Amino acid sequence: MKLLKAYTWLVILWLASPIFVMILFGFNDTPSKSNTSWHGFTLKWYRELFAIDGLTDALITSLLIAVVSTIITVVIGTMLGLALGKHRFKGQGATNFLVFAAISTPELVMGASLLSLFVSANLPRDSITIIIAHVLFSLAFVTVTVRARVLTLDPSLEEAAKDLGASPWGTFRQVTLPAILPGVLAGAMLAFALSIDDYVVTSFVNGSTITFPLWIVGSVKTGIPPQVNVMGTLIFGIGVLIAISQSIAARRRG
């Protein structure tokens, strides 16, 4: 048992080591653009977080795209998850197959397919095509997450609300939505993370639009500045805080 625990902690440390390195090198007092060796501790990169205009613009672009695509994905994915979890209809098996096929499709294949689609439709590749692409590959994850939550619902709760005179919208707003809200929020966080982190699909459909991951890859040849580590640390920290707050809220509801 002790050996198993030690092995578990070793695996966790190994998986978390890139995060630790990212956080550490956000404090590196490097004298050049290259941020690959330790030169001492400093907080100046946090003060100069937005000193690089191209990096700041790329981060803002990624955040805007992630927010918009997440909102669209959550709305559509929640409706799909409800339909697949609550109802039986013709073509449901094919719909489930398509949802899981979207999850298992390699990003290279999806990116190339979307590029062919946009070129065939004569659509200019910009932020709009990136949002469309992010919605398409995130939709399946949100649908599956919401559907799993819907399958745990007690149908008698909705029936009781209807018996008490609640309208279909009132039943959804006061009974169904609060019950599936943890699944919806989990799907939203997953969609946001997938969007802001994506490089492969985005590189096919971005045109001249530069997102945060694209900027980082493009700067590899000249050296990745410490501000990238700081921005990554802040994004990671915000994600951890949201996850902790959701966990605390779930325990209070329980």
Side-chain angles (χ1 to χ4, degrees):
M1 182 62 69
K2 291 183 178 180
L3 182 61
L4 180 60
K5 289 182 178 179
Y7 177 76
T8 301
W9 278 109
L10 183 63
V11 172
I12 292 174
L13 289 174
W14 169 256
L15 293 175
S17 58
I19 299 175
F20 295 148
V21 172
M22 175 189 69
I23 296 173
L24 177 64
F25 275 80
F27 299 99
N28 184 25
D29 190 14
T30 176
S32 64
K33 290 184 178 180
S34 179
N35 190 27
T36 57
S37 57
W38 184 255
H39 293 275
F41 182 87
T42 183
L43 292 173
K44 70 179 180 181
W45 307 120
Y46 281 82
R47 296 191 298 268
E48 301 176 7
L49 179 60
F50 303 112
I52 305 175
D53 294 336
L55 176 59
T56 302
D57 293 340
L59 179 63
I60 293 174
T61 300
S62 284
L63 289 174
L64 291 175
I65 290 173
V67 169
V68 174
S69 63
T70 297
I71 292 173
I72 298 172
T73 303
V74 167
V75 173
I76 301 175
T78 299
M79 292 189 291
L80 279 173
L82 283 169
L84 293 173
K86 292 180 61 177
H87 305 289
R88 298 293 177 266
F89 53 89
K90 188 175 181 179
Q92 185 176 23
T95 305
N96 279 319
F97 173 78
L98 288 174
V99 169
F100 285 99
I103 294 176
S104 60
T105 300
E107 287 188 296
L108 284 172
V109 175
M110 181 171 290
S113 301
L114 287 170
L115 176 60
S116 299
L117 173 64
F118 296 145
V119 170
S120 300
N122 291 321
L123 287 177
R125 294 182 297 281
D126 51 20
S127 297
I128 301 299
T129 52
I130 296 177
I131 290 173
I132 294 172
H134 288 193
V135 169
L136 288 176
F137 70 68
S138 300
L139 185 59
F141 292 93
V142 177
T143 300
V144 169
T145 304
V146 174
R147 177 180 177 272
R149 184 67 181 181
V150 170
L151 292 174
T152 65
L153 295 181
D154 185 358
S156 62
L157 296 176
E158 293 182 332
E159 294 173 0
K162 293 176 182 178
D163 290 340
L164 293 172
S167 64
W169 168 246
T171 300
F172 173 78
R173 181 171 57 86
Q174 297 181 352
V175 178
T176 307
L177 183 58
I180 66 172
L181 189 58
V184 174
L185 293 176
M189 292 175 62
L190 183 58
F192 184 87
L194 289 171
S195 176
I196 201 170
D197 185 55
D198 182 73
Y199 169 77
V200 177
V201 175
T202 304
S203 65
F204 280 91
V205 300
N206 69 307
S208 60
T209 303
I210 302 298
T211 62
F212 187 52
L214 293 176
W215 193 96
I216 293 174
V217 173
S219 67
V220 169
K221 294 181 180 180
T222 58
I224 299 176
Q227 284 89 340
V228 171
N229 298 72
V230 175
M231 290 179 177
T233 300
L234 294 176
I235 293 173
F236 172 74
I238 292 172
V240 170
L241 290 177
I242 293 174
I244 292 175
S245 63
Q246 290 299 321
S247 177
I248 294 174
R251 290 183 179 181
R252 289 179 178 176
R253 286 194 298 266

